[in-house]
Amino acid sequence: WYQRRVRAASMSKEIESTVSIGTKVFEAKAIDADSGLSGELLYYLEDSVFNEYFNIETQTGVISVKKELNRAQTLYMDIQVKAKDQGSPARTSNTFNLIVKIVHQPAPPQFSKSSYDFTAYADTSAYSL
């Protein structure tokens, strides 16, 4: 007996382009009512050009960042997630699409050096340095 429950076929998630490698983005969760190996699920990402930026933990479905996003050339990434049971024959879920919007924040201004030395004379006018 095999049963699949699908709560949503797709979902959107926004993340900052500056998040650290290893940051959790999403946790996919599929349900299989079977028992034994037929009820044990493994998660994987469908082939995509965006897989270079994300990793999925096969046992838990946790999707995390595996490459810096601030160099990404796109604002939206479509990550396609599937679950597969370990029965024989293995059954595979429908595709779940996670649309990740990369939010690029402008970089704050920074000084080029950690310290600066200067000399100010007594006759220097205010705000002229």
Side-chain angles (χ1 to χ4, degrees), residues 3 7 10 13 28 42 54 60-61 88 97 105 108 127:
Q3 176 183 358
R7 294 178 192 248
S10 67
K13 173 89 175 177
L42 296 176
F54 300 97
T60 64
S88 181
N97 292 318
Q105 297 294 333
Y127 307 111

Side-chain angles (χ1 to χ4, degrees), residues 90-110:
R91 304 280 311 251
T92 303
S93 69
N94 294 336
T95 301
F96 175 81
N97 292 318
L98 176 62
I99 310 298
V100 178
K101 180 180 180 185
I102 310 300
V103 180
H104 293 276
Q105 297 294 333
Q110 296 179 341

Side-chain angles (χ1 to χ4, degrees), residues 55-75:
N55 181 55
I56 190 164
E57 172 56 45
T58 58
Q59 300 290 323
T60 64
V62 171
I63 298 169
S64 59
V65 176
K66 74 174 181 183
K67 184 178 178 180
E68 289 183 3
L69 299 172
N70 58 357
R71 300 197 195 312
Q73 300 297 313
T74 184
L75 294 177

